Amino acid sequence: MTIEMGRTEITGPILSDGTPLADLIDLEKHEVSMRLLSDPEVFRLELQRLFARAWTVLAHETEIPEPFDYVSRDIGLDPVIVTRSRSGEINVVLNVCTHRGMQVCRAEAGNEKQFKCPYHGWSFNEQGRFMGSPVARENMHGAFHSKEELGLKKARVERYAGFVFATWDPDAPSLEEYLGEIKFYQDLMFARSEAGLEVLGPPQRFIIPSNWKCPGEQHAGDGYHAMTLHRSINELAASESDDSSMYGIDVSANGHGLRLIDRRKGKWKNNREAVLAAQSLPPFEKLRTIMLPPGMTPEMAEQLADTLTEDQMTVLADYPPSVGGLFPNMGTFCFEFPTPMGMAAIISWHAFVPKGPDTFEFINWYLVEKDAPAEFKDLMRRAATLGLGSTGFVETDDADTWPLMTASSKGYMGSQGTIKYGALTGEDQPLTGYWDKGDFPGGGHLYPGFTKDDAQWNWWLRWRDFMLDDPWGPDAHH
């Protein structure tokens, strides 16, 4: 351990071949070793140092609306049950029987007041409390532990925008602190209405043969890949030129990232003149007329003045957030989307749940505003299934890329290569338009102009914090 530039340089774990984990991220060249995409040792360390400590998303509260409803999910490789108690409280309990380690629940969803282990019949209530075992007079839970000690392990639980987050770390900050300055922008996508969001049925769940970090870092702010990988989408969308959607502001905070699209320049085929004419209107008037937030009707937009601040409405009208991610393994979406039935919108959350160093489960939630008209919800469902998830042509593009990156990292020569993040905007660039940099209403690290690598590099720095040092300490990258 050495001291450099006022910081303590931490080498962190040493891998079995003698390589310090810290050496696999080059802080000077902004490069990441390909080895990190498939190394089994690194994956085991991630389970301990990252997924046992970070806040991760598991479900949406509208998946379990009634008392004793539950869904089964995973935190890393740890199976958990997300339950709603009689009082409405949401619990996350480890789905591992304290007797012999069998999973007490093997269904994906349901409604149960008690979970009975199929191996020896030990029972637990929806909050994880041990209720008893068969043949009670024989005291089969033994003499060494009280019933109170034999309950299922409970995670800390907090909610944001109806989504249920959990962490095993008692020292982790609150979810609001964990989200930090990115919450200002996420609210513009998912906390805009008084009623809130609801899911359109159970989420899609499917397996992709790729390391989870491939989609994780992409959703921190990689807008550049859309020019090439998603070229067909650009040809269908409302943008006049291939690169117009590449300009805006990339935002980064605590490893989370978002892309803000510049809507003020009128680069839209369908409503150029209207967008230009709307620039003289106050933010609320823009939002309730020509610049409706994706997924809202004009009637629904009337409540924005009550749910958002003036600063938030200013950003939503001129630089709306569209695609991003929450560290470490979540993707978030809220954008307009063309369909054969007309222009629609997609609101979606993804989770990339690791199943091994080269496999992850993709969980895809489709969402709508609860108070949206039925026909509007149906149009959004059609748009979402067309664009995202297992049936969508956006992620069929991505699903070709991530597995091949992972496979490339397994070869000897491939493992010697690096992923490069050298195209940097930096935070000293002026913001285009009528804002001076210091006057921009939103916080976080701001990277205006053509989308580059800054936010994704920040994602890797946050990953490094968790893997090498104390992620909650004063030297962590926020």
Side-chain angles (χ1 to χ4, degrees):
M1 183 181 300
T2 60
I3 304 296
E4 182 178 346
M5 297 178 62
R7 286 175 57 105
T8 303
E9 184 180 346
I10 305 294
T11 58
I14 307 297
L15 302 180
S16 60
D17 65 355
T19 302
L21 184 60
D23 287 357
L24 299 181
I25 296 185
D26 190 323
L27 297 179
E28 293 184 2
K29 295 182 179 179
H30 286 220
E31 295 182 4
V32 174
S33 171
M34 287 282 286
R35 179 176 174 180
L36 295 182
L37 298 185
S38 59
D39 190 298
E41 280 189 89
V42 172
F43 176 70
R44 295 304 304 180
L45 288 168
E46 287 175 337
L47 296 179
Q48 172 195 353
R49 291 173 170 255
L50 177 57
F51 286 98
R53 298 196 285 184
W55 285 99
T56 55
V57 72
L58 296 173
H60 194 270
E61 62 186 5
T62 56
E63 292 183 77
I64 48 172
E66 301 299 327
F68 309 113
D69 282 351
Y70 73 87
V71 293
S72 297
R73 299 287 153 79
D74 298 274
I75 300 176
L77 292 184
D78 288 314
V80 297
I81 315 170
V82 184
T83 74
R84 189 182 288 274
S85 64
R86 185 188 303 272
S87 64
E89 175 192 3
I90 292 180
N91 316 277
V92 173
V93 298
L94 186 65
N95 187 10
V96 176
C97 184
T98 51
H99 183 215
R100 299 288 166 81
M102 175 63 182
Q103 292 189 15
V104 301
C105 177
R106 293 183 293 174
E108 288 192 5
N111 183 283
E112 293 287 348
K113 293 183 179 179
Q114 289 191 15
F115 297 95
K116 185 176 182 180
C117 179
Y119 197 6
H120 294 95
W122 283 30
S123 294
F124 306 85
N125 74 359
E126 87 285 358
Q127 299 181 57
R129 185 161 61 91
F130 176 61
M131 303 302 291
S133 58
V135 197
R137 66 180 177 274
E138 296 297 338
N139 195 31
M140 292 304 295
H141 68 273
F144 298 100
H145 297 281
S146 67
K147 285 188 175 183
E148 289 71 26
E149 295 175 305
L150 292 174
L152 303 179
K153 183 174 179 59
K154 294 186 69 171
R156 289 175 57 192
V157 176
E158 293 191 33
R159 283 181 271 180
Y160 169 69
F163 276 96
V164 179
F165 288 73
T167 178
W168 299 116
D169 188 354
D171 298 321
S174 68
L175 179 60
E176 183 165 353
E177 291 177 271
Y178 184 82
L179 294 175
E181 292 181 294
I182 210 70
K183 183 179 180 295
F184 173 96
Y185 306 96
Q186 293 283 343
D187 286 351
L188 309 185
M189 305 162 78
F190 311 116
R192 311 167 299 182
S193 67
E194 295 173 356
L197 300 172
E198 65 181 6
V199 293
L200 284 170
Q204 292 181 337
R205 298 175 66 179
F206 49 97
I207 298 295
I208 292 184
S210 162
N211 186 272
W212 70 272
K213 293 189 291 298
C214 294
E217 64 85 32
Q218 176 183 302
H219 285 79
D222 185 353
Y224 184 45
H225 80 284
M227 274 188 75
T228 305
L229 187 64
H230 300 314
R231 183 178 179 85
S232 60
I233 302 171
N234 288 327
E235 292 172 349
L236 289 173
S239 173
E240 280 195 340
S241 62
D242 285 344
D243 67 353
S244 64
S245 63
M246 299 295 102
Y247 290 89
I249 304 173
D250 288 344
V251 182
S252 176
N254 291 359
H256 317 305
L258 267 174
R259 299 206 60 241
L260 312 184
I261 304 302
D262 188 347
R263 292 193 69 183
R264 300 166 304 113
K265 295 184 178 180
K267 293 184 177 181
W268 308 96
K269 290 179 182 178
N270 297 334
N271 60 353
R272 167 194 282 271
E273 297 304 322
V275 169
L276 291 174
Q279 297 311 311
S280 61
L281 297 175
F284 176 61
E285 293 301 319
K286 290 183 188 179
L287 292 170
R288 63 193 290 268
T289 54
I290 190 61
M291 293 182 173
L292 281 171
M296 299 191 88
T297 65
E299 294 76 19
M300 295 162 62
E302 294 291 336
Q303 61 191 292
L304 292 174
D306 297 322
T307 58
L308 300 179
T309 67
E310 187 72 18
D311 283 347
Q312 285 180 311
M313 286 191 288
T314 298
V315 174
L316 184 57
D318 292 343
Y319 281 98
S322 58
V323 179
L326 299 177
F327 184 88
N329 64 328
M330 291 158 271
T332 59
F333 303 80
C334 183
F335 55 86
E336 295 175 330
F337 193 80
T339 76
M341 297 76 69
M343 184 61 70
I346 294 175
I347 303 176
S348 176
W349 277 48
H350 296 347
F352 315 113
V353 184
K355 295 295 181 182
D358 56 5
T359 309
F360 72 88
E361 181 184 31
F362 194 124
I363 304 182
N364 175 36
W365 291 271
Y366 296 147
L367 300 131
V368 293
E369 298 285 355
K370 287 180 182 177
D371 52 4
E375 63 275 13
F376 196 74
K377 292 179 180 180
D378 185 61
L379 181 59
M380 289 185 63
R381 177 185 58 79
R382 291 168 179 264
T385 53
L386 178 66
L388 299 183
S390 60
T391 56
F393 55 82
V394 174
E395 267 134 12
T396 53
D397 291 343
D398 292 326
D400 271 343
T401 304
W402 303 328
L404 292 177
M405 292 170 63
T406 302
S408 298
S409 70
K410 295 181 179 180
Y412 173 75
M413 293 303 294
S415 68
Q416 308 304 304
T418 60
I419 314 169
K420 297 172 178 62
Y421 298 89
L424 302 174
T425 298
E427 293 188 83
D428 58 347
Q429 305 301 313
L431 291 173
T432 57
Y434 54 82
W435 283 314
D436 292 329
K437 182 173 175 57
D439 295 333
F440 187 72
H445 302 286
L446 305 177
Y447 307 103
F450 193 90
T451 180
K452 293 192 175 179
D453 295 339
D454 307 78
Q456 288 175 273
W457 177 245
N458 290 345
W459 186 95
W460 278 108
L461 294 179
R462 195 71 181 118
W463 181 90
R464 186 178 184 272
D465 286 338
F466 276 86
M467 297 298 289
L468 303 187
D469 199 0
D470 176 11
W472 319 127
D475 288 341
H477 293 88
H478 301 299

